[in-house]
């Protein structure tokens, strides 16, 4: 038995059969299997990557949302504060406007009252003066019926006038 | 484990004739199992030879001869041909020379069977992928079993040959791996249609190694040939390096041939020896014989388990080395 001498018949059959089987499998067997599996692994890789991307995007969205909410809250607070300030300002303005109006009315009223009063007082004074003149006329007519009395009175009047001048 | 038990069972059927009086012809038994034959010997049954006769196809000086091997089984002459008792091969009776012999021997039949089996298995697997959308479904059944093996080799090709053109070589590597693996396992199965020592036959491993050799050396890049014939080495090495490189390129297929052949052959011989121990010890009485039977069955089980491991490892090593050699031949330099 020669174990290390290749037998020609077996060599022939091995080359023929191995060749045929290899040809068939290389054409219809292995490429189909490996292509399908490669496609599948490519798809799995892509899906994993997509999932990771989506996760990242979700995380960034959540962050963005939180930030937006925070911004909105800040904006709201700011607006509320501004509105309150505006309100206060308007109220203060209105108040001051009303006050100044009232003051002006009051001042007008006061002036007109003062003017009225003045004119009323003037009238009264005139009336009183006229009445006084009439009364004095009547009294004088009564009293100055004599020449002495008239003279004395004249002198008295002159004194008084002089006195008034000096006072002035 | 089953295999070891079955081998012992088969030999128990075969043994009584031999072990009744004379010594057990250990080397004959072993060589019958690991060698080639013109018939497929199954067993001895009640002193009768149970074997499947196989067709003999021979072209001698008198032309083509096709007949059943049963006609020349016992050394008879038929159509001027007989089996030479020394070499066990068919020779021309007149001249004593070997004719052109492409008989369907035990190994050829096993080769046909295993190749057909591989063809069916892989085509059925491919059919699954053809009929199903592999993007939507996970493979089931045969496809699920074959996918990891095929993809293991495919990914090995990608790693060793490179992303660029590994797809061209992946089918050959898948084919070599699955073919060797299948035949290694079929060789461990001790009964028909397994049991032929195909991957432990040097003609088979030689063809496989030559396939790798030609794949490597016919598709090499310029850089690969430059490294062999005009490597960048100091001047005084220039005349020596090509000799060494050519020798190394030629030794690669030889090492591939011998590695697979020797490993599988040794495994077969070890298991057969373990089984033969039972029959050798039988004549030393029931105590020694029985004791050794237990020991050798245990060792047989161990060796069979080891052979299952070796069957895979050798297929893997052959494929890996092939892919590395191809990868080296496809290098484009730094």
């Amino acid at each position: 038995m020669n174990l290390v001498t290749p037998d020609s018949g077996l060599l022939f059959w091995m080359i023929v059969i191995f060749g045929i089987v290899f040809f068939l499998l290389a054409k219809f067997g292995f490429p189909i299997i490996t292509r399908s599996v490669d496609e599948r692994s490519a798809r799995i890789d892509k899906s994993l990557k997509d999932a990771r991307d989506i996760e990242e995007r979700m995380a960034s969205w959540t962050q963005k949302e939180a930030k937006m909410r925070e911004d909105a809250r800040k904006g709201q607070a700011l607006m509320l504060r501004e509105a309150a300030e505006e309100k206060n300002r308007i109220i203060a303005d209105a108040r001051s406007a009303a006050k100044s109006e009232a003051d002006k009315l009051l001042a007008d009223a006061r002036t007109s009252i003062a003017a009225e009063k003045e004119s009323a007082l003037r009238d009264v004074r005139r009336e009183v003066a006229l009445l006084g003149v009439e009364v004095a006329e009547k009294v004088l007519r009564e009293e100055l019926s004599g020449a002495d009395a008239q003279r004395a009175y004249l002198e008295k009047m002159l004194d008084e006038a002089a006195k008034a001048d000096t006072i002035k | 484990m089953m295999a070891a038990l079955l081998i012992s069972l088969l030999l128990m059927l075969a043994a009584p004739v031999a072990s009744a009086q004379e010594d057990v012809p250990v080397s004959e038994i072993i060589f019958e199992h690991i060698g080639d034959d013109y018939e497929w010997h199954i067993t001895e049954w009640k002193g009768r030879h149970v074997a499947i006769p196989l067709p003999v196809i021979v072209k001698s000086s008198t032309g083509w001869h096709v007949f059943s091997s049963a006609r020349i089984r016992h050394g008879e002459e038929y159509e001027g041909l007989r089996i030479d008792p020394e070499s066990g091969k068919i020779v021309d009776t007149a001249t004593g020379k070997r004719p052109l012999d492409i008989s369907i021997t035990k190994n050829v039949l096993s080769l046909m069977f295993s190749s057909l089996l591989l063809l069916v298995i892989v085509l059925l697997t491919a059919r699954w992928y053809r009929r199903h959308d592999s993007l939507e479904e996970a493979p089931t059944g045969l496809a699920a079993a074959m996918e990891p093996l095929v993809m293991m080799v495919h990914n090995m090709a990608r790693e060793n040959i490179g992303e660029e053109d590994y797809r061209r070589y992946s089918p050959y590597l898948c084919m070599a791996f699955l073919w060797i693996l299948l035949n290694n396992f079929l060789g461990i199965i001790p009964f028909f249609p397994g049991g032929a020592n195909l991957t432990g036959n040097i003609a088979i491993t030689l063809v496989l190694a030559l396939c790798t050799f030609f794949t490597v050396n016919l598709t090499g890049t310029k850089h690969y040939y430059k490294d062999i014939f005009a490597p960048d080495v100091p001047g005084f090495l220039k005349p020596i390096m090509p000799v060494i490189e050519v020798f190394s390129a030629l030794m690669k297929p030889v090492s591939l041939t011998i590695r697979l052949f020797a490993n599988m052959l040794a495994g077969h011989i070890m298991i057969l020896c373990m089984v033969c121990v039972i029959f050798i010890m039988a004549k030393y009485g029931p105590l020694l014989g029985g004791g050794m039977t237990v020991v050798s069955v245990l060792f047989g089980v161990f060796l069979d388990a080891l052979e299952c491991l070796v069957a895979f490892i050798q297929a893997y090593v052959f494929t890996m080395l092939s892919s590395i050699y191809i990868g080296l031949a496809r290098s484009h330099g730094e």
Side-chain angles (χ1 to χ4, degrees):
Chain A
M1 293 274 169
N2 208 339
L3 281 174
V4 290
T5 314
D7 182 58
S8 56
L10 193 54
L11 270 179
F12 166 78
W13 283 111
M14 175 62 183
I15 292 167
V16 170
I17 294 170
F18 192 80
I20 292 171
V21 173
F22 172 61
F23 173 78
L24 289 175
L25 291 186
K27 210 161 172 65
F28 307 111
F30 297 119
I32 292 161
I33 301 171
T34 51
R35 202 183 312 127
S36 301
V37 178
D38 277 346
E39 272 169 21
R40 195 180 58 207
S41 13
R43 172 157 164 155
I44 289 169
D45 283 352
K46 193 177 160 292
S47 302
L48 283 174
K49 196 175 155 292
D50 285 357
R52 216 162 28 233
D53 282 357
I54 287 171
E55 215 167 89
E56 272 169 22
R57 221 174 296 160
M58 283 284 281
S60 81
W61 278 345
T62 320
Q63 231 169 348
K64 238 179 256 176
E65 196 199 333
K67 196 169 164 292
M68 275 164 73
R69 201 171 281 177
E70 187 63 24
D71 283 356
R73 199 173 298 132
K74 267 185 205 159
Q76 189 193 23
L78 193 72
M79 275 162 72
L80 280 174
R81 203 163 58 231
E82 274 174 2
E85 275 170 10
E86 188 73 1
K87 188 184 84 179
N88 289 342
R89 204 170 53 76
I90 288 169
I91 288 170
D93 281 0
R95 195 172 282 160
S96 72
K99 191 165 175 287
S100 67
E101 191 68 13
D103 284 355
K104 205 174 129 222
L105 282 173
L106 219 58
D108 283 358
R110 224 171 253 146
T111 13
S112 69
I113 287 169
E116 293 281 311
K117 201 169 116 192
E118 198 67 18
S119 78
L121 274 173
R122 239 187 342 258
D123 285 357
V124 167
R125 226 175 263 144
R126 199 164 57 228
E127 288 293 312
V128 169
L130 287 174
L131 269 174
V133 170
E134 267 175 48
V135 170
E137 221 178 60
K138 277 178 187 159
V139 169
L140 279 174
R141 221 169 270 154
E142 292 276 318
E143 280 185 359
L144 298 175
S145 42
D148 291 344
Q150 279 179 0
R151 199 181 287 146
Y153 185 67
L154 261 173
E155 281 171 6
K156 193 182 161 196
M157 286 294 272
L158 286 169
D159 283 352
E160 274 178 10
K163 219 184 263 175
D165 277 348
T166 56
I167 286 166
K168 262 182 191 170
Chain B
M1 192 167 130
M2 285 298 287
L5 293 176
L6 280 160
I7 285 182
S8 17
L9 199 69
L10 286 179
L11 280 169
M12 267 178 223
L13 293 173
V17 188
S19 66
Q21 295 301 322
E22 69 265 45
D23 280 347
V24 186
V26 176
S27 70
E28 241 173 71
I29 292 174
I30 288 175
F31 277 106
E32 191 210 311
H33 276 84
I34 60 173
D36 207 349
D37 207 348
Y38 288 100
E39 59 180 11
W40 199 312
H41 181 208
I42 292 176
T43 184
E44 302 280 339
W45 182 252
K46 290 178 180 165
R48 278 182 57 207
H49 192 69
V50 181
I52 301 169
L54 300 169
V56 172
I57 306 168
V58 163
K59 185 182 186 293
S60 67
S61 50
T62 52
W64 286 99
H65 300 276
V66 179
F67 53 88
S68 164
S69 69
R71 293 180 188 281
I72 52 166
R73 178 195 296 159
H74 303 297
E76 306 97 321
E77 185 183 328
Y78 186 80
E79 293 182 2
L81 300 162
R82 63 181 177 83
I83 296 178
D84 179 33
E86 255 180 50
S87 66
K89 303 285 184 191
I90 287 180
V91 290
D92 210 317
T93 321
T95 59
K97 281 182 185 164
R98 287 275 286 129
L100 176 64
D101 183 359
I102 52 165
S103 305
I104 311 295
T105 59
K106 178 182 166 190
N107 276 345
V108 175
L109 184 67
S110 173
L111 169 68
M112 288 173 167
F113 171 75
S114 67
S115 298
L116 191 69
L117 187 62
L118 182 69
L119 195 68
V120 169
I121 288 173
V122 177
L123 288 182
L124 281 177
T125 309
R127 197 178 71 151
W128 190 93
Y129 287 95
R130 234 193 269 266
R131 295 208 170 165
H132 295 75
D133 184 4
S134 69
L135 295 181
E136 303 296 333
E137 289 171 71
T140 52
L142 189 63
M146 293 305 291
E147 191 190 298
L149 291 174
V150 173
M151 292 319 288
M152 184 186 80
V153 181
H154 187 66
N155 291 331
M156 184 162 76
R158 194 207 317 258
E159 275 169 33
N160 290 335
I161 300 174
E163 202 65 47
E164 216 173 291
D165 43 19
Y166 77 97
R167 278 171 197 286
R168 272 173 65 200
Y169 298 99
S170 160
Y172 167 66
L173 295 171
C174 290
M175 171 80 191
F177 176 75
L178 291 180
W179 196 90
I180 296 172
L181 187 68
L182 180 67
N183 280 294
N184 285 353
F185 276 119
L186 281 179
I188 299 173
I189 299 171
F191 50 85
F192 184 82
N197 179 28
L198 207 53
T199 43
N201 188 299
I202 199 158
I204 300 293
T205 59
L206 182 67
V207 172
L208 288 167
L210 285 177
C211 286
T212 298
F213 177 76
F214 286 120
T215 311
V216 167
N217 289 288
L218 295 181
T219 63
T221 55
K222 272 183 199 150
H223 185 265
Y224 170 70
Y225 293 116
K226 188 187 162 289
D227 259 3
I228 290 180
F229 296 110
D232 290 326
V233 287
F236 67 94
L237 281 175
K238 283 241 190 248
I240 309 168
M241 284 310 284
V243 179
I244 295 173
E245 288 287 349
V246 168
F247 187 72
S248 128
L250 292 176
M251 277 300 112
K252 279 170 183 171
V254 174
S255 76
L256 282 179
T257 307
I258 305 288
R259 183 181 298 109
L260 182 57
F261 157 73
N263 269 290
M264 297 322 293
L265 188 68
H268 279 255
I269 292 176
M270 282 198 296
I271 294 172
L272 288 167
C273 285
M274 271 303 136
V275 177
C276 284
V277 164
I278 300 171
F279 302 105
I280 294 170
M281 297 308 283
K283 67 177 176 186
Y284 296 105
L287 191 67
L288 205 54
M292 277 314 286
T293 303
V294 173
V295 172
S296 47
V297 165
L298 286 177
F299 263 101
V301 170
F302 167 72
L303 285 173
D304 255 328
L306 187 72
E307 275 310 291
C308 289
L309 190 65
V310 170
F312 182 86
I313 290 173
Q314 286 308 317
Y316 186 82
V317 165
F318 185 95
T319 317
M320 193 177 67
L321 287 175
S322 293
S323 70
I324 288 171
Y325 295 159
I326 294 171
L328 288 174
R330 295 304 300 169
S331 75
H332 297 280
E334 284 87 74

